[in-house]
Amino acid sequence: MKIYQILKVCLGALSVLWICASCSETDYLVYDTSRSGIYFTKDTLTYSFGVTPVEQRTTVFRIPGRIMGTLSDADRTFAYEVIADSTTAVEGVQYNIGKPVIPADSINGYIPVELLRDGLAGDYQNGYVSYKLGVRLLNGDGFEPTLDEASQIRVLTFDNAVEQPDWLNANGEKVWYTSTWGVWHPLKLIKMVEYFHAIKDVLPEIYVKMVALYGENLENVPYGDFYVYGTIMKKYVYEPMYEYFSDPANRDEILSLYPDFPFDFPNPYA
C-alpha cells in the first residue's frame, strides 16, 4: 500500500511538470519576437522656461516611453503622430520635434521636443500664453501601442511664465520683501535662482543642504526668509544680483527683454 501511494504521488507530480512544460512551450511558440509593446510612462508633462537664465532661448524636453519587449544592442526608433486637435503650438515657431529613440540596452525611450522660447507669446505685463503639443503612439518599427488608450497619448503643456513664488507668511499670504529685493519682478527671481545654483560650485555641501530645505529652484522658502543661510544668500546671491542690475552695461539688454523692469534692487550691504 505504501509503495502504491508513493507511486501515485510521483505520477501526479510528473503530470503537473508535464502540463507546466507544455504551457511554457506553447507560450514560447505563440510569442512574436518581431514585435514589442510600447507605451508612454509619465502622466503629466509640463515645462516652463520660468526661472531659467534669460540667455537660454531653447531647451529639449523628452517625452518618455517604455517598451515591454527584449533589449537590443543598438538604438531603435518607434512611430508616433502629432495630434492636431490637442496641439496649439506651431512647429518651427514654438517647437521642433525630433526622431524618437530607444537607446541601446534600454527599455526606456523618448521623443525629443525642442522648445523655442523666442516663439512663446505673452509677458509679465500682459499675461503669458500656454501652448500644447499632443502626440500619439502608432504601430510601426517593430513596436505596437499597448495597455489602455490613455497610455498611448500624451499632451505636453509649456510656456514662458515666471510667477511670484508661493512663499507664504503665517497668515498664508504670499510674501516678497521689497526692503531686501525691491519691487517684485520675474527677472529678479530668475537671477536669484541663477546665482543660487552657482553656490554649488563654491560651497557644494552647503548647496545640497539648501536645496533640501528650499527646493532646487527655491520653490519652498518658509515665510520667504532664508534665515540660517541668510549670510550665504547675501554674499553669493544678493551681492551679485545688485552688481548685475546696477551695471550700466546690462541695462539695454534687460530693457529689451523686460521694458517694465524696475532698477531698484537694494545694496545688501547698505
Side-chain angles (χ1 to χ4, degrees):
M1 179 64 72
K2 291 183 178 179
I3 294 175
Y4 171 76
Q5 290 176 338
I6 293 172
L7 289 172
K8 185 177 180 180
V9 171
C10 291
L11 288 171
L14 289 172
S15 298
V16 171
L17 290 173
W18 179 82
I19 292 171
C20 291
S22 298
C23 292
S24 297
E25 184 178 358
T26 301
D27 291 344
Y28 175 77
L29 292 173
V30 170
Y31 179 69
D32 182 2
T33 58
S34 68
R35 302 197 70 79
S36 178
I38 188 169
Y39 60 96
F40 285 125
T41 52
K42 190 175 180 181
D43 293 331
T44 303
L45 304 178
T46 60
Y47 181 83
S48 178
F49 278 95
V51 294
T52 59
V54 293
E55 295 81 11
Q56 182 179 338
R57 309 315 297 171
T58 66
T59 191
V60 175
F61 186 96
R62 295 180 172 183
I63 300 178
R66 182 171 296 160
I67 65 169
M68 299 176 70
T70 57
L71 299 178
S72 170
D73 59 2
D75 289 353
R76 290 175 287 178
T77 186
F78 55 92
Y80 75 93
E81 67 176 352
V82 173
I83 309 171
D85 292 345
S86 302
T87 300
T88 60
V90 177
E91 187 168 11
V93 179
Q94 283 91 33
Y95 77 96
N96 288 315
I97 195 162
K99 183 178 181 180
V101 64
I102 302 168
D105 300 318
S106 178
I107 62 171
N108 297 307
Y110 59 87
I111 300 174
V113 182
E114 182 187 30
L115 304 180
L116 310 176
R117 193 174 197 171
D118 291 337
L120 306 184
D123 54 38
Y124 173 62
Q125 289 179 304
N126 303 303
Y128 296 98
V129 176
S130 181
Y131 296 88
K132 295 183 181 297
L133 170 63
V135 293
R136 177 189 290 112
L137 292 171
L138 300 174
N139 289 325
D141 295 329
F143 296 99
E144 55 185 322
T146 186
L147 300 181
D148 54 18
E149 185 177 358
S151 300
Q152 303 170 17
I153 295 174
R154 285 295 180 269
V155 177
L156 168 63
T157 302
F158 59 101
D159 58 37
N160 194 31
V162 187
E163 304 293 347
Q164 184 175 332
D166 290 327
W167 301 343
L168 308 179
N169 61 20
N171 298 320
E173 302 166 332
K174 284 188 178 183
V175 292
W176 177 269
Y177 299 115
T178 56
S179 59
T180 305
W181 309 305
V183 175
W184 155 254
H185 191 278
L187 183 56
K188 292 180 180 178
L189 182 62
I190 290 173
K191 300 304 289 187
M192 185 182 295
V193 171
E194 177 184 337
Y195 290 124
F196 170 66
H197 288 168
I199 295 176
K200 176 173 56 179
D201 298 327
V202 291
L203 301 171
E205 294 182 2
I206 289 179
Y207 175 77
V208 170
K209 294 179 180 178
M210 294 179 75
V211 168
L213 184 59
Y214 303 130
E216 185 177 2
N217 291 318
L218 304 178
E219 304 93 338
N220 180 35
V221 180
Y223 306 106
D225 189 347
F226 291 92
Y227 189 53
V228 177
Y229 297 102
T231 301
I232 298 294
M233 290 294 292
K234 181 180 289 188
K235 179 177 181 179
Y236 293 102
V237 179
Y238 302 161
E239 182 176 359
M241 286 179 69
Y242 173 73
E243 293 173 351
Y244 173 79
F245 293 131
S246 299
D247 188 344
N250 298 325
R251 188 178 182 88
D252 289 343
E253 181 182 6
I254 292 173
L255 290 176
S256 67
L257 296 169
Y258 299 95
D260 65 335
F261 184 77
F263 291 87
D264 65 343
F265 195 87
N267 184 341
Y269 294 104

